[in-house]
Amino acid sequence: MAESKAKIKSFSASLCLGGVLVLLLVIVLVGAAMLGAEQLPLFDLNEQQRSIFYDIRLPRILLGACVGASLAVAGAGLQSLLRNPLAEPYLLGVSNGAALGTMLAFVFFQSLEITRPVLAFAGAGLATLAVYRMAKSCAGMNVERLVLSGVIVTTFLSSVIVMLTTLLDAAKLRSFTFWLLGDLSQATRNGVYLSLAAVIIGTIVLTSQARALNLMMVGERDAFDFGVEVSRVRMLVFGASSLVVGAAVAASGSVGYVGLIVPHLVRLSVGSDNRLVVPFSAIAGAIFVVFADTIARTAIAPRELPVGAVTALIGAPMFIYLLRKN
Amino acid sequence: MLEVWDITIRYGERDVLRDVSLSLRDGSIIALLGANGAGKTTLIRALNGTLPLAGGEIELDGCQLSGLSRREIARNIAVVAQENETRFPVTVFEFVLSGRFLHGGAFGWESEGDFEFAEKALAECDLTGYATRLMNHLSGGERQRVVLARAIATNARILLLDEPTANLDLAHQAMMFKLVRRRCLESGASAIVITHDLNLAAEFADEIIMLKHGRIAAKGTPAEVLTAENVADVFGVRVLLDTNPASGNVRVTNVF
Amino acid sequence: MRKGLLIFIVLASISTFGGCRAKPTVADVADQSTPTNRPMRIVTDDLGRQVAVPVKIARVVSLAPNLTENIFAVGAGARLVGVTTFCNYPEQAKEIPKIGDTMTPNMESIIALKPDVVFVSTASQIEAFMKTLEANGIAVYVTNPTSLDGVMKNLKELGELMGTHEQANQLVADLTARINAVYQRVSGEKKIHVFVQISKEPLFTIGKQSFLTALLEQAGGESVTANVDSAYPKLSKETASALNPETLILSDSEDNKEPNEVFKNSSAVKNGHVILLNADQLSRPGPRLVNVLEYVARQLHMGKFEWKRGLDPSGNSAF
């Protein structure tokens, strides 16, 4: 009895573990708040320093946390749903759909900022729908078809994005190139609120499907046999993923590797139970991106690196290491 | 109690199953035999509500299956199918425990009762000690037993098994059937088992149904159904039939 | 970075495909409108390459807007047979056939125009096609002025090449006089601290290696980001916020008309010291750069000297 208990975490043990992770996040947030291109004193900030901290640094850090959480939680959900450890928002076209949506919002509705997350979500949703439709056949959908469709959609959207950037004039092109690699420097208060709302809703929805995902993770047919309403779960997971990825990409472009690496690391630490993996991925994703962004904005200060470049530099070798380990 | 009246299943233009009827009483085991493509798996899938019927009716304890929700069906009918390869690190215990899906809410955590069911299921399937092992580190046969354990953990009264002995060694083949039999005897569960092993079917099944091209070719007790003509007709092989000296049941021997 | 790789692959395919042409045969080469008995000479371009050009250059193509302006400035505009889609100054440039944009010029169009020389601002632009062009008897001349001095040198060079030395030298003399005039007026004045915003979001500015940094100095200002490495760095908003420049310079392109949020409390914004410059002029090292110099000097030290209409070759002053 004790032996089997050892691997399954009881509710209270899981809460404890979650608590530790949250504590780690708080530490990272505080650490990030203390670092930046400008040295700020701990207390008694003058007006300008206060402005730097509250208007520039803090929104950026919080946005980074939201974006990291969003991408990681979407990755965790999609990997379980699609029974594919390589699934993540970029691979399935969700990120690119959101990016294209945001670009179109920028080109046609220049100043109306609210259009960006809206069109990003629409783009993400449409891309997901396209992938899903393409993958469906009368024999039902299997994972291979889904991943193949995802790759087709994402590369197609990539080409459209490249085409769009070629047609843009040099000025817009410059701003997009940086953004496409993931850029948190355009963080605003409203952007943070929106992202926070999206990631909270998304994480709750995805965690609510965690038990079903545990079954779907080992076989969609099995899940169906055991009472899971498979199409409903699919819709909720795709919907929630599109929501959080749309919000994240609209705010900061496409930060790569987070959705891929973070859920893997979480699974290595706590096992594959999605009730843990999904929410913990959110927290771990936040930690990862805040950490990467702190490097991005201090390594060559006062110049900045795109955060997506840093996550790739950290993420790619980590991914190779994980592959080896398996 | 599962009653099936003249069901027909269609894929496009083709009738995959036609006019199939059967009656599964509590505590009994039906063995489903037939050549590949005869429609055995399709029948199983129809019985758990996965496939829509083009004709006929299925009744579970008097209620029409089509009127029941996914949850209600899954509470009463558990399927043991061929297991897929798991690409994630899942332990045996987690796998079996996930069978308790319907017994908890969305955020529900498993109760003590759930843990007990899972453990008993592991014990029944001779898997004590396997709890913390990872699924993809097991052999095909071991994994098959875990899949059975998961179905048992659901505590469903009807078990549908699709070639559960496919990858098992001799010892565990018989064990699998004995297990199903014991479950049926002890808790009044019933089972339909697809198998290619005519002798195991003869040994453990109360009733045998032979399918040929989607229709029932023979139905009855093992003694009634297992005749040289039937076997030749359905499987196209010549066999000799006699009695198993140890158990007294029909024994089928291939003539090569 | 899969996106980066993908973009690279797509662009590389476009350029390689664009560069795949059948090798011209001996017959083709003999067909050239540049008969082999035309007197040629060897000149050295800005990259130190030895280039063979006709003594009398009749047809040229420009692959950079500033080079187009410079060619017109030295009086050789009539010989331009192909320019980029960005070349919009002077007015006559708009009539000239377009052969693509600076990054992806169309090789077929260029060859069809049968120019003697193609003027290019960076070798990388056209590396892949050098062989093809040279095989068609078209010389490639790389020149890239990146400062006021560089522009003067370039104008002289072009005058030399195109045979319009007199006009070119006169132009250089006039421009130099104007530059000196500005210098006279502003040297001795306190340097004004300026932030030059290249793009509002994300926030890009000028760094050490940008010609605008030097230009600002000559106009009596000082770029507050003068010691930041690279020509056009993306600047941390925190740093920008702490800079508090006296004057802001923006440009009139869509994404740069407004100062970035971080400057809302700077003395530049508070006192309304925001200068809006024409984006083209700001990015093209050519004779109009002197207009920029004069305008900026005047704005920075307002009231310190009277505006004198500059001798702009097309008779048209931007301001």
Side-chain angles (χ1 to χ4, degrees), chain A residues 57 88 158 178 185 302 304, chain C residues 2 6 234 236-238 241:
Chain A
R57 195 181 287 185
E88 59 125 11
S158 261
F178 219 82
S185 73
E304 293 189 340
Chain C
R2 286 159 290 187
L6 190 69
K234 177 174 182 285
S236 158
K237 283 187 183 176
E238 294 187 13
S241 174

Side-chain angles (χ1 to χ4, degrees), chain A residues 35-38 47-48 51-52 55-57 88 90 96 110 155 158 162 171-172 174-175 178 180-181 183 185-187 254 256-257 260 297 302-304 308-309 312, chain C residues 1-4 6-7 10-11 14 86 101 104 198-199 201-204 228-230 232-244 253-255 262 264-265:
Chain A
L35 294 169
E38 290 293 303
E47 201 192 313
Q48 181 178 72
S51 167
I52 291 182
D55 293 333
I56 302 173
R57 195 181 287 185
E88 59 125 11
Y90 178 73
N96 274 350
Q110 174 74 28
T155 43
S158 261
V162 168
K172 289 211 180 84
R174 187 178 35 227
S175 41
F178 219 82
L180 276 174
L181 287 173
D183 175 29
S185 73
Q186 301 184 42
S254 211
Y257 284 96
L260 188 60
R297 60 189 173 87
R303 293 164 65 196
E304 293 189 340
Chain C
M1 282 179 275
R2 286 159 290 187
K3 286 176 289 299
L6 190 69
I7 291 175
V10 173
L11 287 176
I14 293 173
F86 291 124
D101 61 38
T104 43
I198 298 290
S199 130
E201 286 283 11
L203 182 60
F204 277 91
V228 178
D229 239 335
S230 108
Y232 298 104
K234 177 174 182 285
L235 195 71
S236 158
K237 283 187 183 176
E238 294 187 13
T239 309
S241 174
L243 283 172
N244 198 20
S253 62
E254 275 292 334
D255 67 336
V262 297
K264 62 176 187 277
N265 293 325

